[in-house]
Amino acid sequence: LPVDEKHTHSRVHLLNRIAILMGGRAAEEIALNHVSTGAGNDIERATDLARKMVCEWGMSDVMGPLAYAKKEGNMFLGEGATSQTYSEDTAVMIDQEIKRIVVENYVMAKGLLVKHHAILDNVARALLDRESLDGEEINQIIAGTSPELS
């Protein structure tokens, strides 16, 4: 099965995933006072996830529990495509809802990073020193017990 069909995820999980994806852009703005192309792939993935929530999985209060993407063709041969079976007004509403979901979760991510700015700085310093961190090292930095912070 395709990855999207192997697991079911709650709406809250998906919204949190979008916030995580937008965290890179938010961190750039906070730490560097500018944005770069570095978060481009994350923004694309967040937007795609929000689009699936709205158009495929009926996870939008505004748009309701409807599927707006009609799949056509032989999906097993990779020839599947989607067709637009709704009005331009509905397309505008879909775009607005996708934007709302992504922007709200970006604002949430940025708020958390501002609130925990010291941890963001410590993680950034550690990444500059070593280029990558594992989960245990990040947990030590968050707890303030990392040897690097001494």
Side-chain angles (χ1 to χ4, degrees):
L1 290 174
V3 173
D4 289 343
E5 295 179 27
K6 285 185 181 179
H7 305 284
T8 59
H9 298 289
S10 71
R11 181 178 176 179
V12 170
H13 172 83
L14 296 171
L15 293 172
N16 287 337
R17 185 76 192 129
I18 292 170
I20 290 166
L21 288 165
M22 297 306 293
R25 168 56 65 88
E28 276 186 343
E29 282 190 45
I30 294 166
L32 304 175
N33 264 346
H34 71 271
V35 295
S36 73
T37 60
N41 182 261
D42 289 340
I43 293 170
E44 183 179 335
R45 289 171 42 211
T47 304
D48 185 53
L49 190 51
R51 183 173 308 283
K52 286 180 179 180
M53 289 177 69
V54 173
C55 295
E56 294 180 28
W57 302 326
M59 292 183 170
S60 164
D61 291 336
V62 172
M63 300 308 297
L66 301 171
Y68 290 97
K70 184 175 181 178
K71 294 184 179 179
E72 298 175 344
N74 189 339
M75 296 306 291
F76 294 107
L77 298 177
E79 299 169 1
T82 58
S83 64
Q84 184 172 323
T85 58
Y86 43 83
S87 71
E88 281 302 313
D89 289 342
T90 300
V92 168
M93 290 175 58
I94 288 170
D95 289 343
Q96 289 171 343
E97 181 66 353
I98 292 166
K99 181 178 180 180
R100 183 194 64 77
I101 290 169
V102 173
V103 169
E104 279 183 8
N105 285 283
Y106 166 77
V107 168
M108 181 178 70
K110 190 171 181 180
L112 286 169
L113 289 170
V114 166
K115 181 179 178 182
H116 301 285
H117 196 278
I119 293 171
L120 173 63
D121 288 343
N122 290 337
V123 169
R125 263 190 243 105
L127 285 169
L128 287 172
D129 289 343
R130 290 195 306 234
E131 202 167 309
S132 68
L133 301 170
D134 64 25
E136 181 58 34
E137 292 167 324
I138 291 173
N139 287 335
Q140 288 176 351
I141 292 169
I142 291 170
T145 59
S146 175
E148 297 172 358
L149 299 176
S150 302

